[in-house]
């Protein structure tokens, strides 16, 4: 069996081994001249190659540079025709923008999708024709501006273009596109759209209705907002009909929205279930009149969440007002006792259960260890409430001691709780809400703006902060088997200034043993998976994953049990470094910061040394701290 496996990889091995000799490094001038030779009738009079010629310094026509790096090829109005050699451009590592407007290009769309890091593609006013494959744009995850207008393209609008996470400008007007308009996956990012003068038909997706009539005119068959004609009994709305009436290749499109839909449905179910149990409880209470119940019993917070709370709707008042006065008096009696909130840090203001109940709430997450939601109180303080699940290892006093220990962690990179609530069957931890959300959200989420702020200095600041915060946790919880235990990008919160704050640490001692292995990320370290062993170095492994995630911008497969659709970041990094291709690992978003490349490579190296699968060979956290501080 192993032999067979090896054979399967053999071709790959030969390819990688022989790669360096096959392709000796070419100068940028050589590359451009090769490209020039692939087109005919171009006026490239300034492109004169020679030994040591730098197209950037010589200011070759149409070559856009940042320093010595070629970042754009803008070759408009040059009467270009012929078959472009896109492949040769792959060697221009920093190329982000291509413009070939108003030339005489013919034939099908060239393979620009090989240039996965492109941010803009302008091909307007040529004679390009034929269908664009549905998946054409799928590899171009950084693409923001797509101008294909005034060509002769036919067939459907490729679905993949509508799914680009950063798509801000899409111009397809003046072609022969037909069929319905696929739905737009990231509608908030798109600012400029023109689909006029095609043969499109069917309902305009709701996500595009905000664009004016001017973006759709000259398509006889379109209907619905913003067009004047509404869609009368048009059988399948576009959302349902998108996966290809004409048998176009099935895309990965189905995966994500389904997931989102399932998640939303799942969340709704939970909330509704809570609501039902709440109503049942309220009825019981009303029926049994003065029966002495624990006063907080019917104040369980999630009970207060109506299904609409997902849309930030305030909690209804009338349910509370029924018996509000009775509770008010009781809670003031018990205030400060275990039945109410125990304030650990009053700097942000004090609050009790009543204030939390009056807060407007929004569900944030539902994980193995609990249910988190955001609550904005009447006094303006916004907090995150974690309702812990399966955390029954500690009794009341031990839990209180643990909470006080958390609160005493006064480190700028560690999130300390503001308050907690403890009963045998209900444990809440309240902490400050961070407006920028988690690192995971900012790195992989859909918020273009937030992501745009993640330049190299910010990323380095985040890495330094995480390392320092982890250092603090390792000092305070040094006696624990694994002091943090759950370090991953979704547990790193970001302040307004992108200062990182570690959260969800030191849960190992509190969580039921049944849950920990499933819930805590340290249990995904190689030593646990192989030998069921943990140590403080398991945290270092998790730290390494986060560092590599920040540097590459990729979402690691390690975070998911099935690892589907993600990158095994450890393997990728180790292979690339061993083949001297570390530079290719750097997220294209920051790679153009050439003056910092050395620092980036050093940080990548540190990250790689943290994910070493043998803990003995892995860096000690103290070494990581020293080495990261040395980089700056
Ligand atoms: C080519 O471009 C140069 C300047 O860029 C111009 O002087 C020359 O007339 C152009 N030649 C043709 C054939 O367009
Ligand atoms: C879209 O393109 C058409 C044709 O070029 C033009 O007339 C129209 O003004 C454009 N609309 C927008 C919103 O850019």
């Amino acid at each position: 069996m192993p032999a067979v496996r090896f054979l399967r990889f053999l071709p790959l091995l030969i390819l990688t081994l022989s790669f360096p000799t096959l392709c000796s490094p070419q100068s940028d001038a050589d590359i451009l001249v090769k490209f020039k030779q692939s087109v005919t009738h171009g006026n490239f009079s300034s492109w004169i190659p020679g030994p040591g010629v730098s197209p950037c310094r010589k200011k070759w026509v149409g070559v856009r540079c940042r320093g010595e790096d070629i970042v754009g090829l803008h070759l408009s109005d040059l009467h270009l025709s012929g078959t472009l050699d896109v492949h040769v451009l792959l060697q221009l590592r920093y190329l982000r923008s291509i413009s070939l407007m108003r030339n005489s290009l013919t034939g099908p769309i060239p393979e620009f999708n090989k240039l996965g890091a492109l941010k803009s593609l302008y091909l307007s006013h040529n004679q390009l024709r034929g269908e664009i494959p549905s998946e054409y744009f799928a590899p171009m995850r950084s693409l923001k501006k797509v101008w294909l207008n005034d060509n002769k393209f036919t067939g459907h609008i490729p679905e993949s273009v509508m799914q680009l996470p950063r798509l801000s400008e899409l111009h397809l007007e003046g072609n022969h596109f037909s069929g319905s308009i696929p739905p737009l996956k990231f509608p908030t990012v798109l600012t400029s759209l023109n689909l006029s003068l095609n043969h499109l038909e069917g309902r305009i997706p709701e996500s595009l209705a905000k664009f004016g009539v001017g973006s759709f005119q000259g398509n006889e068959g379109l209907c619905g907002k913003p067009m004047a004609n509404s869609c009368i009994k048009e059988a399948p709305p576009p959302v349902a009909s998108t996966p290809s009436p004409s048998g176009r290749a099935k895309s990965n499109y189905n995966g994500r929205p389904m997931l989102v839909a399932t998640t939303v449905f799942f969340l709704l179910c939970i909330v509704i279930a809570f609501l039902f149990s709440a109503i049942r409880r309220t009825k019981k209470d009303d029926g049994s009149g003065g029966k002495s119940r624990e006063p907080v019993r019917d104040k369980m917070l999630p009970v207060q969440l109506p299904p609409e709370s997902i849309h930030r709707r305030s909690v209804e008042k009338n349910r509370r007002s029924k018996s509000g006065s009775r509770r008010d008096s009781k809670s003031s009696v018990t205030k400060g006792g275990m039945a109410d909130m125990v304030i650990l840090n009053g700097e942000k203001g004090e609050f009790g259960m009543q204030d939390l109940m009056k807060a407007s709430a929004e569900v944030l997450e539902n994980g193995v260890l609990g249910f988190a939601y955001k609550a904005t109180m009447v006094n303006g303080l916004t907090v995150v409430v974690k309702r812990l699940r399966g955390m029954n290892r500690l009794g009341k006093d031990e839990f209180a001691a643990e909470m006080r220990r958390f609160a005493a962690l006064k480190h700028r990179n560690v999130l300390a709780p503001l308050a907690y609530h403890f009963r045998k069957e209900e444990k809440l931890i309240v902490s400050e809400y961070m407006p920028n959300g988690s690192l995971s959200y900012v790195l992989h989420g859909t918020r273009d703006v937030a992501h745009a702020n993640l330049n190299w200095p910010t990323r380095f600041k985040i890495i330094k902060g995480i390392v320092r915060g982890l250092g603090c946790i390792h000092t305070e919880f040094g006696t624990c088997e694994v002091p943090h235990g759950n370090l991953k990008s979704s547990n790193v919160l970001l302040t307004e200034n992108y200062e990182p704050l570690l959260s969800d640490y030191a849960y190992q001692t509190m969580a039921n043993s049944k849950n920990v292995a499933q819930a805590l990320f340290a249990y995904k370290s190689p030593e646990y998976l192989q030998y069921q062993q943990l140590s403080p170095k398991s945290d270092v492994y998790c730290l390494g994953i986060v560092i590599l995630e920040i540097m590459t911008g990729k979402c690691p497969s390690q975070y998911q049990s099935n690892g589907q659709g993600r990158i095994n970041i450890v393997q990728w990094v180790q292979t690339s470094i061993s083949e001297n291709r570390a530079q290719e690992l750097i997220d294209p978003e920051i790679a153009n910061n050439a003056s910092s490349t050395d620092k980036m490579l050093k940080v990548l190296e540190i990250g790689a040394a943290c994910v070493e699968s043998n803990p003995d060979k892995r860096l000690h956290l103290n070494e990581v701290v020293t080495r990261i501080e040395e980089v700056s």
Side-chain angles (χ1 to χ4, degrees), residues 255-456:
R256 283 280 193 74
M258 277 289 272
L259 189 71
V260 172
T262 326
T263 316
V264 168
F265 176 66
F266 185 62
L267 269 177
L268 267 174
C269 286
I270 290 173
V271 172
I272 290 169
F274 276 136
L275 205 71
F276 264 105
S277 66
I279 293 167
R280 276 221 327 260
R281 241 178 248 132
T282 321
K283 277 192 180 155
K284 259 196 202 164
D285 276 5
D286 289 351
S288 57
K291 194 182 167 192
S292 73
R293 257 177 178 278
E294 218 184 323
V296 272
R297 177 90 204 168
D298 46 13
K299 291 189 203 169
M300 294 207 330
L301 288 158
V303 162
Q304 296 288 330
L305 289 170
E308 304 84 42
S309 64
I310 291 168
H311 305 299
R312 299 164 186 255
R313 234 191 73 174
S314 306
V315 174
E316 268 182 290
K317 277 182 190 156
N318 45 5
R319 209 178 77 73
R320 239 185 355 257
S321 57
K322 262 194 237 163
S323 52
S325 58
R326 182 195 56 161
R327 277 186 216 151
D328 276 344
S329 59
K330 281 217 176 157
S331 93
S332 65
V333 173
T334 52
K335 191 153 187 159
M338 290 313 271
D340 203 344
M341 278 289 147
V342 178
I343 303 289
L344 295 161
N345 176 351
E347 278 169 29
K348 305 278 168 192
E350 304 224 341
F351 50 88
M353 285 295 247
Q354 285 292 321
D355 302 296
L356 273 186
M357 280 164 49
K358 282 178 206 148
S360 60
E362 182 187 351
V363 178
L364 293 177
E365 65 166 84
N366 184 23
V368 181
L369 288 181
F371 186 73
Y373 65 97
K374 170 186 166 187
T376 306
M377 287 183 265
V378 182
N379 67 5
L381 178 61
T382 305
V383 293
V384 172
V385 182
K386 282 217 165 175
R387 182 178 193 245
L388 303 181
R389 187 182 293 149
M391 292 263 203
N392 301 324
R393 252 168 95 172
L394 300 187
K396 185 164 139 182
D397 295 335
E398 290 163 304
F399 188 89
E402 198 68 7
M403 285 298 119
R404 282 198 297 274
R405 207 166 148 200
F406 282 14
L409 287 173
K410 296 241 188 289
H411 190 283
R412 67 186 301 194
N413 299 116
V414 178
L415 184 75
L418 297 175
Y420 73 93
H421 166 80
F422 181 99
R423 276 181 306 128
K424 191 149 175 274
E425 64 278 35
E426 181 78 299
K427 292 165 196 67
L428 306 175
I429 298 185
V430 182
S431 43
E432 206 183 331
Y433 173 75
M434 292 299 145
N436 271 329
S438 73
L439 174 62
S440 169
Y441 183 51
V442 173
L443 268 179
H444 316 299
T446 59
R447 277 195 317 178
D448 203 46
V449 186
H451 196 110
N453 289 334
L454 275 194
N455 55 18
W456 162 245

Side-chain angles (χ1 to χ4, degrees), residues 81 95 132 146 161 240 387 411 493 521 557 579:
S81 62
L95 187 63
I132 303 177
V146 181
V161 77
R387 182 178 193 245
H411 190 283
L493 306 175
F521 186 52
S557 60
E579 291 169 358

